[in-house]
Structures are given as C-alpha cells and as structure tokens.
Amino acid sequence: MNSSLERYTERVEQYASRFPRFPRFVDVTMVLALIGCAFFGTHLSLPGVNRPDTGKSLEVLLGLSCFVLLKYRTHTRTVVVVVAGVTIAAIARGYLLTPMLLAPLLAAMYWLAVLCDRRTVRLYALVATVALLTVNLFSDGMRDLSPVLTVVGPVFWMALPLVGGSLTRLRGDYLEAVKSRAEHAERTREEEARLRVTEERMRIARELHDVVAHHLALANAQAGTAAHLSRSNPEQSRKILDDLTGTTSAALRELKATLGLLRQDDRPEGEGLEPAPGLARLPELIDSYRSAGLKVVVHQEGVRRPLTPGVDLTAYRIVQEALTNVAKHAPERATRVGFTYADSRLLITVSNDGPATVTAVNGTSGGFGLRGMRERAQSIGGDLCAGPRPEGGFEVTTALPLQASAAVEGESP
C-alpha cells in the first residue's frame, strides 16, 4: 500500500508541475471536503445526549475556519491556532469529539508536521492535544464515556496526522537528497570529463611538440651540415641530404600517426598507425643525430630490464627531446647519454659540454621542451631535473620506475 501511495503522490506531483493552477484546485476541493466533514460532525451525538443549541453560529464558524486552511503554505502556525481554537470552542459547547469534527484540525496538524521543524511541531501538538483533552473531559457531549476512552480517542486521532506529515516530510527530504546526489554526480562526471579532456590535450600537445621539434631541429642540423660540406665533401653532403629526406619522411609519418589519435572512425584500433617508439629505436635515433654532425656517446650500467610501454615511450621521448635541445643550442659539443638500471628504477642522464644556453632557473624551464619532459616523467611516477653543470654545459637527469602501476600506465601517453 505504501508503494501505491507513493505512485499516486508522484502522479499528483507530475500533474501539478504540468498545470500550475492544479494545487489551488486541490486546496479548494480539500477545504470543501473539510467543511462537509465538520458540518456532518456537528450532527453526531451519543445516544440519549441532545445536540447543543448554538443557533448555527458555531457551525458557520467551523465552516469559515476551514477556509483559513487555504493559507497553510504561508501561515502554517496561524492556521493551526485558528482551527484549533474554533474546534476546542465547539467541543466546549458540547459537540461530540469525533474524527469528523476534528477533520479541519487534523488537516492543519498534518501540514504543520510537513512544513515546520520538529521542535515547532512538538510544541504545537502538545499544546493543542492538552487543551483538547482538558476541554473534552468536562464536555457535556462525553459525560457518558469513561475517562480512558475520552483520553485515548483524541490522542490517537491527533497522532495520525503528525505521523503522516512526518513521513511525508521524510520522503520529501529523501527525494531532495537523491536529487542533490544526482546533481553532484552529474557535476562530478562533467568535471572528470573536462579533466580527462585537459589531460588528453596535454598529452597530444607533448607528442606534437616532441615530433615537430625533434625532426625540425634534426632537419635543420642536417641541412646546415650538408651546406657546409657541399663544396669540400660533395659525397658526404649528398649522403646527409639523403638522410634529410628520411628525416622529413619520418616526421610526416609520426605527425600523421599522432594526429590519427584525434580521429574517430570505424577502423580497428591501431590500424594504419605505427607502434609507439621505445628504447629499441634508440640506435636509429642516435644515428640520425650523428648524421647531422652531433657527437653522441651512449653508455649503459647494469643489466637491461624490460619496461612497460608507458615507461619505454617516456624514456625514448625524454632522450629525444634532450638531444633536440643539444642540436639546437650546442651542436658542436660532445653529448653523453647514460642509462643506469638499479633496483626498480631507470636513471637516464643526457649531458653535454657546451654552453648552458637553455633557459633554466632552479631546475625549471620557461620553454615547452623541459616542461614537457618533466610532465612525462611525473605522469608515470618519475622525476626529472635539468640545469647547467658546475663544470660547464647542460644536463638532464630523470629517474623512471621500471614498472609503472596499471592505473598510471593506462593514462600514460
């Protein structure tokens, strides 16, 4: 029955939301019904007990008090006081206390329980019930009933609207809480979606920067070297120009692969895209810089261990970006790339003997290159430091975990 009442209430609320005047119609209908109940209640009496002769004035007053209930939304306490006063006056004049006679007061108490706080409800309910019982005990209409029945009946009937109103208020609070939780969940989903979009945008920006900056710097170095050797060593110049063609082709392929991540189509995942680069392609990367005239020395300490795809890609991109910076700022100096496998971390060091021309203040950089490297390292739980060396030159040092966690790995670019 409770579920049926809830369904009926929901239908009434939906209908009221569609028709703004529907609540006023319901209120007027309720008042007319309460007038009928009160009028019928004034004609009830115990056997052998005559109805009080009030000249119909009190019956009219009871009917008028029902119209006060039209203001129960805005003047709830006043409505209770007025209706309770008229009802108690009727019982004091000798009318029999019945649920029909109490109907206006019960309706007022119901709305009091729905709209007011618990402290107010308890106070008004206690005062109204005590006044009702006091008058009822000395009323002529109840003189043939035992005191127990005289007390139990009014208390029982007064308790019903208070319980019903409290349940209605609790249901309203519950629905409001559910609505608030739903709105909070919606806001949380939107914030999470915006956060994921921002993170994805940052990852794509780092990929584009690494691809474009690396290949353009390498192509610029190769073109400069080829121009320098064009007269003194034409064969070497042609070889560098051939490498330049490969560099630009590789740039176009990687750029296409990166931009392909932004496309949403029906192709199977990964179709038409090259696999993400890793340290397995490090010799190819080193050879491309050597062909441009950069002196690169690679050394390794410890036993090489397998890396997760996210860590492998991060290590490759950091070395690539560090060599790109060297090619732009100190191409004539020797560069050392070191890999140290120790415990659960991989230590990568890229240093050169050239002037420290890369903007660096306290290990931070105003450029996107060092910032992107640092973000890559931190995204998988690593750390990166970059700055001038005391003996001259510049050094980039990063420590990466050999095995990134599953959560971090799934988010790595």
Side-chain angles (χ1 to χ4, degrees):
M1 181 173 179
N2 188 26
S3 59
S4 300
L5 180 60
E6 290 182 356
R7 288 197 299 268
Y8 174 77
T9 305
E10 290 176 358
R11 291 177 182 176
V12 171
E13 291 176 352
Q14 293 174 359
Y15 194 82
S17 63
R18 292 175 56 188
F19 300 95
R21 295 185 179 180
F22 180 73
R24 177 58 59 180
F25 172 77
V26 173
D27 292 345
V28 173
T29 303
M30 175 191 68
V31 168
L32 294 178
L34 291 175
I35 292 175
C37 291
F39 179 77
F40 183 73
T42 58
H43 288 74
L44 296 178
S45 62
L46 293 175
V49 179
N50 297 324
R51 293 176 56 246
D53 184 13
T54 60
K56 303 295 182 179
S57 59
L58 195 56
E59 296 178 11
V60 174
L61 189 60
L62 278 172
L64 293 178
S65 68
C66 294
F67 284 100
V68 180
L69 287 167
L70 293 174
K71 295 294 183 179
Y72 70 86
R73 291 187 177 90
T74 57
H75 300 81
T76 309
R77 298 174 180 83
T78 304
V79 168
V80 172
V81 171
V82 171
V83 175
V86 174
T87 303
I88 292 173
I91 297 173
R93 292 297 301 271
Y95 284 101
L96 179 64
L97 192 154
T98 62
M100 304 298 289
L101 185 67
L102 287 178
L105 179 58
L106 298 182
M109 297 302 298
Y110 171 82
W111 290 116
L112 180 73
V114 172
L115 300 176
C116 296
D117 58 275
R118 295 181 179 179
R119 183 177 180 180
T120 300
V121 173
R122 287 195 295 265
L123 177 61
Y124 278 73
L126 179 62
V127 172
T129 303
V130 170
L132 198 65
L133 291 177
T134 302
V135 174
N136 194 42
L137 287 173
F138 299 98
S139 174
D140 293 338
M142 306 291 291
R143 63 176 180 269
D144 293 335
L145 295 179
S146 65
V148 175
L149 294 179
T150 304
V151 172
V152 171
V155 171
F156 175 77
W157 290 113
M158 289 291 288
L160 285 181
L162 297 176
V163 173
S166 299
L167 293 177
T168 302
R169 184 183 59 193
L170 290 176
R171 178 178 178 274
D173 294 341
Y174 170 76
L175 294 178
E176 186 66 25
V178 170
K179 182 180 178 181
S180 299
R181 287 197 297 267
E183 293 176 352
H184 176 71
E186 185 66 24
R187 288 194 302 269
T188 303
R189 283 194 297 269
E190 293 177 356
E191 292 173 0
E192 183 178 357
R194 285 195 296 269
L195 179 60
R196 289 185 177 275
V197 168
T198 301
E199 292 177 349
E200 186 65 21
R201 185 179 63 194
M202 294 298 297
R203 287 196 289 265
I204 293 174
R206 287 195 297 265
E207 285 292 318
L208 288 176
H209 176 271
D210 291 342
V211 171
V212 174
H214 160 63
H215 288 97
L216 285 181
L218 183 58
N220 180 68
Q222 289 174 331
T225 304
H228 178 72
L229 298 175
S230 60
R231 293 184 179 180
S232 61
N233 194 342
E235 291 296 329
Q236 182 66 19
S237 178
R238 282 195 295 271
K239 183 179 181 302
I240 294 177
L241 290 176
D242 291 339
D243 293 338
L244 177 59
T245 302
T247 299
T248 55
S249 299
L252 291 175
R253 286 196 304 271
E254 288 201 36
L255 186 60
K256 181 180 179 181
T258 303
L259 293 178
L261 297 175
L262 300 176
R263 299 183 182 275
Q264 299 292 335
D265 51 28
D266 297 331
R267 294 181 304 173
E269 183 178 358
E271 182 179 334
L273 301 179
E274 293 184 354
L279 292 182
R281 292 178 54 182
L282 185 63
E284 177 185 343
L285 178 67
I286 299 300
D287 290 341
S288 65
Y289 280 103
R290 286 172 177 168
S291 67
L294 190 66
K295 300 176 183 179
V296 183
V297 179
V298 181
H299 63 90
Q300 175 181 315
E301 296 181 8
V303 180
R304 184 173 182 177
R305 302 178 190 178
L307 305 175
T308 57
V311 177
D312 200 18
L313 172 63
T314 300
Y316 178 87
R317 290 301 191 196
I318 288 176
V319 174
Q320 181 188 62
E321 179 61 28
L323 292 177
T324 299
N325 288 340
V326 173
K328 289 191 294 185
H329 299 286
E332 72 283 355
R333 305 290 182 171
T335 303
R336 291 173 297 279
V337 181
F339 297 91
T340 302
Y341 293 86
D343 296 332
S344 60
R345 301 184 77 80
L346 169 62
L347 180 65
I348 302 175
T349 304
V350 181
S351 60
N352 71 291
D353 298 329
T357 56
V358 180
T359 304
V361 179
N362 296 328
T364 60
S365 171
F368 293 107
L370 294 182
R371 183 189 305 174
M373 287 192 291
R374 185 171 291 105
E375 289 175 352
R376 282 186 178 278
Q378 293 174 351
S379 68
I380 60 171
D383 193 14
L384 183 139
C385 296
R389 303 170 62 204
E391 60 272 21
F394 198 83
E395 184 175 73
V396 175
T397 303
T398 181
L400 304 177
L402 295 179
Q403 303 289 331
S405 63
V408 174
E409 184 71 19
E411 297 177 359
S412 61

